[in-house]
Amino acid sequence: MALSPGWRAFTSFAMNRCGVLRKAVRSSGFPLFPWGHCPWRGTGSFLDPEMKAFLEENTEVTSRGSLTPEIQLRLLTPRCKFWWERADLWPHSDPYWAVYWPGGQALSRYLLDNPDVVRGKSVLDIGSGCGATAIAAKMSGALRILANDIDPIAGMAITLNCELNQLNPFPILTKNMLDLEQDKWDLVVLGDMFYDEDLADSLHQWLKSCFWVYRTRVLIGDPGRPQFSGHSIQHQLHKVAEYSLPEPTRQENNGLTTSTVWEFQP
């Protein structure tokens, strides 16, 4: 079975050009969290009932085909109606949170296999998406977690995914972290965020500030996108772990075969 032409276009766009959308949202000046509760502590009582019902109806709970079968997630899969529809029929912002991207998979696998990295520590997950890496940090004993994604619907999806994994939802922030005053974190994790050159430059500067001001440890997950592998940050990275991607993830990501966890050491 294959994606419809519309969703093929979406996944291709998301892999290579989704920075256009995210930059537009970041620069729009409009509030990114419509009900004005930020940081957003996602518990069931805070979920918009209509949106919750929409997400539950149009995603599948799955733990198959990824590097972390112990984590259940609500994702867009071939069993979902919108998988086969034209992408423009999706009634909300593009659902990047509904894909378990390979950089996030590698980060999540690494944290589950190495719980001492996060146990008893504070963790910031930038570009959290489906929330899998933040969930992995919680499962591995992180003391304090903040999941950050500019899409409010991602915040709701993260809350639902926490509940699927029998976790109390952690705080979720739907503002652009790069525009806010930095806080002290023991660890910052970010997966699949180097998809756009301008964003990559901004992230690079922000991460350098985190490291030098707070001595924050930074872990980056990426499957080898050209915007990452060709960026000057490569000179400041140490490879921590590399994973072979499961076949379903390879098929969904234009044939990418591995995903790597890097430590940023400026």
Side-chain angles (χ1 to χ4, degrees), residues 84-104:
W84 304 103
E85 298 280 6
R86 297 197 322 269
D88 61 350
L89 294 179
W90 179 265
H92 304 288
S93 57
D94 289 336
Y96 299 114
W97 53 265
V99 178
Y100 192 8
W101 302 102

Side-chain angles (χ1 to χ4, degrees), residues 27-41:
S27 61
S28 67
F30 293 107
L32 294 172
F33 199 67
W35 46 91
H37 183 80
C38 187
W40 186 61
R41 290 186 177 273

Side-chain angles (χ1 to χ4, degrees), residues 26 124-127 146 148-150 173 175-183 185 206:
R26 283 189 171 102
L124 169 63
D125 181 16
I126 298 178
L146 178 63
N148 170 234
D149 197 289
I150 61 171
L173 178 68
K175 289 186 177 181
N176 181 6
M177 290 296 299
L178 306 188
D179 293 338
L180 304 179
E181 182 177 349
Q182 289 186 343
D183 196 4
W185 297 94
W206 193 88

Side-chain angles (χ1 to χ4, degrees), residues 204 207-208 211-212 236-237 264-266:
H204 189 195
L207 293 172
K208 282 197 291 187
F211 181 88
W212 290 116
Q236 300 169 318
L237 299 177
F264 179 55
Q265 298 177 332

Side-chain angles (χ1 to χ4, degrees), residues 244-263:
S244 178
L245 293 170
E247 186 59 32
T249 300
R250 296 185 184 196
Q251 293 176 4
E252 293 169 6
N253 288 274
N254 298 331
L256 293 171
T257 59
T258 63
S259 190
T260 302
V261 177
W262 302 90
E263 182 164 1

